[in-house]
Amino acid sequence: MIVILDSSTTENSEEYRQTLNYLSQLPTITTRVHKIQGARQTLTEIYLIGDTKSLSAEDLRALPGVERVIRVSEEYRILGRHRDEQRASGFEYNGVKFSQENLTIFAGLCAVDTPEHVETMLRALQEHGQTCTRMGAYKPRTNPYSFQGHGRACLPYTFELAGKYGIKVIAIEVTHESHIDEIHECLEQTGHPTGVLLQIGTRNTQNFELLKAIGRQQAFPVLFKRGFGITLNESLNAAEYLASEGNSRVIFCLRGVKTNMGDPHRNLVDFSHVPVVKRLTRMPICVDPSHSVGSREHSPDGILDLMHATAQGIIAGANMVLIDFHPEPTKALVDGPQAMLMGELDWFLQDVALVWDGYRKRQALAEQHQAKQHQKPAS
Ligand code: PEP
Ligand code: MN
């Protein structure tokens, strides 16, 4: 169960003390307090963990300072969308809004290789009005002898260039808890020219200790990728680890699942799960066409499979797209063959805008249909 306090009930108020005191004394129940930092106010949510069946929501609602009580289903307690749910989805970070209602593009390098390539990429993004990107520094590679990413060494110039080109948020994968400190230190040293969205890769979806460490920090929001060899339910439960430790600013990313049934794509594209995850949780949903499709093949219509997959995600309501671009894919140290070219950025963004407009029209159509259903006299 979740007990949501009135926004005016502050931590040092008498109401707060009384209610928390009462809840902490309930037998077989443990309480966990979460502070949700919104744009205008901080909300306090108290999670009641344990056997809550015998508790009356009405009684809890009557406690001092309580605004609302939500009875949650067992799964995805914090990130889930529950019955009688009215809590808003999403969050704002470094001036960029992430929610289930909008769309943000993260085009960039799979892995940082040279400062020149970073600069070419970021300049092009700025020219196209983009404020977010992806830049891999710590790469989880299948082969131990493959390039592992430049790690902390590339962070200073990546952050400084991001500041120079007005980039507000960079998605950076972390594979070890120490990477969070490295990113933090480097942002401090460079004077916070940009923000970072910590990415958890598909190979770490169930690395519970890493998830707990990332969940314990509040500085950075998280881009969480589904596991490529586990069920959707298992991936959603893994995402909940982040929230259960205190960080509920999580974006859920679909990136395909591993099976030869997806051949010739690198993975079986799973973007039909966009509406499913939106229904089950309040997380904004990202799609990663690059790591799903994994090639630059195109169909006879001249449109790259990568762009078709992007469109499939957006037309189904995706809120973020993570996509590999590279100024010189033949020189890329990771995933060159699936990278889109700088000369394709304009085309890609126009295609995205077209499909997003299509999704908004589909939404309006659904609303019209529902309104008509309500007007019909019961027969
Ligand atoms: C990536 O985005 O660079 C990446 C390695 O993706 P995934 O974890 O989905 O394979
Ligand atoms: Mn990659």
Side-chain angles (χ1 to χ4, degrees):
M1 262 175 148
I2 310 173
V3 176
I4 303 177
L5 300 187
D6 208 292
S7 59
S8 60
T9 310
T10 57
E11 218 168 339
N12 34 32
S13 65
E14 184 54 23
E15 287 91 344
Y16 185 96
R17 203 193 55 75
Q18 278 181 19
T19 293
L20 207 68
N21 202 20
Y22 175 86
L23 296 174
S24 322
Q25 283 174 17
L26 291 171
T28 72
I29 302 286
T30 34
T31 55
R32 214 181 256 188
V33 180
H34 281 257
K35 301 255 178 246
I36 317 289
Q37 186 65 56
R40 265 171 278 127
Q41 57 193 31
T42 304
L43 265 191
T44 306
E45 298 185 347
I46 307 170
Y47 287 80
L48 305 184
I49 299 159
D51 186 11
T52 55
K53 278 192 211 77
S54 58
L55 297 178
S56 144
E58 258 165 53
D59 289 354
L60 298 182
R61 170 74 190 78
L63 291 171
V66 172
E67 186 194 292
R68 240 174 323 140
V69 174
I70 301 176
R71 198 178 275 285
V72 299
S73 54
E74 278 311 297
E75 290 195 303
Y76 334 132
R77 287 169 194 235
I78 302 173
L79 297 174
R81 185 180 286 287
H82 306 291
R83 219 184 290 272
D84 63 22
E85 177 76 79
Q86 289 159 17
R87 289 178 298 164
S89 81
F91 56 91
E92 192 170 317
Y93 171 66
N94 212 24
V96 181
K97 201 168 179 302
F98 298 92
S99 75
Q100 286 195 341
E101 278 82 48
N102 69 338
L103 175 68
T104 314
I105 306 299
F106 279 66
L109 307 182
C110 180
V112 170
D113 39 33
T114 66
E116 291 73 28
H117 286 151
V118 173
E119 181 150 23
T120 306
M121 183 74 234
L122 300 183
R123 189 188 298 118
L125 288 173
Q126 187 183 50
E127 280 165 12
H128 287 86
Q130 298 298 304
T131 57
C132 298
T133 190
R134 59 160 295 149
M135 290 284 156
Y138 310 95
K139 300 304 299 177
R141 305 305 302 281
T142 304
N143 184 332
Y145 306 110
S146 303
F147 172 64
Q148 304 284 308
H150 287 312
R152 74 182 304 166
C154 69
L155 298 180
Y157 65 78
T158 303
F159 292 163
E160 275 158 6
L161 287 167
K164 178 174 172 188
Y165 292 104
I167 298 294
K168 301 272 177 233
V169 186
I170 313 179
I172 299 184
E173 177 166 356
V174 289
T175 56
H176 190 271
E177 137 173 36
S178 60
H179 300 157
I180 312 169
D181 296 332
E182 291 183 11
I183 289 171
H184 203 75
E185 278 162 27
C186 185
L187 279 173
E188 289 276 317
Q189 281 159 15
T190 51
H192 290 272
T194 188
V196 171
L197 176 64
L198 297 178
Q199 182 177 323
I200 296 167
T202 194
R203 290 157 190 82
N204 278 312
T205 303
Q206 286 186 312
N207 183 343
F208 299 120
E209 296 311 316
L210 178 65
L211 297 180
K212 285 187 208 165
I214 295 177
R216 278 193 296 270
Q217 62 78 43
Q218 302 282 332
F220 306 109
V222 186
L223 176 63
F224 177 86
K225 289 204 170 184
R226 83 167 295 171
F228 55 18
I230 56 177
T231 63
L232 183 63
N233 172 274
E234 286 164 336
S235 289
L236 293 174
N237 266 301
E240 182 74 11
Y241 265 88
L242 296 160
S244 77
E245 292 291 329
N247 193 346
S248 52
R249 296 192 295 172
V250 185
I251 300 163
F252 189 85
C253 181
L254 296 167
R255 48 82 68 217
V257 291
K258 204 176 250 314
T259 157
N260 59 3
M261 302 293 177
D263 291 355
H265 289 159
R266 183 168 167 178
N267 288 285
L268 182 68
V269 181
D270 55 350
F271 299 170
S272 56
H273 275 164
V274 168
V276 178
V277 185
K278 268 189 158 173
R279 179 168 70 238
L280 293 176
T281 79
R282 295 176 300 128
M283 289 184 275
I285 315 300
C286 175
V287 291
D288 175 347
S290 301
H291 293 84
S292 303
V293 170
S295 82
R296 292 184 38 81
E297 294 295 331
H298 59 79
S299 53
D301 57 18
I303 303 173
L304 301 180
D305 289 14
L306 284 166
M307 287 171 60
H308 274 301
T310 303
Q312 285 153 16
I314 295 174
I315 204 73
N319 310 109
M320 172 173 161
V321 179
L322 187 74
I323 182 154
D324 293 358
F325 270 74
H326 200 285
E328 291 181 281
T330 53
K331 292 193 185 157
L333 298 175
V334 188
D335 285 347
Q338 71 187 24
M340 292 199 57
L341 314 176
M342 303 314 298
E344 292 167 340
L345 182 61
D346 192 60
W347 173 31
F348 173 79
L349 292 172
Q350 283 198 52
D351 198 55
V352 161
L354 199 89
V355 185
W356 175 244
D357 186 49
Y359 171 68
R360 300 300 290 264
K361 287 181 176 149
R362 293 181 68 213
Q363 255 185 325
L365 197 62
E367 272 165 30
Q368 277 170 31
H369 171 73
Q370 260 136 33
K372 269 193 213 148
Q373 295 300 105
H374 284 303
Q375 281 162 12
K376 272 190 194 162
S379 55

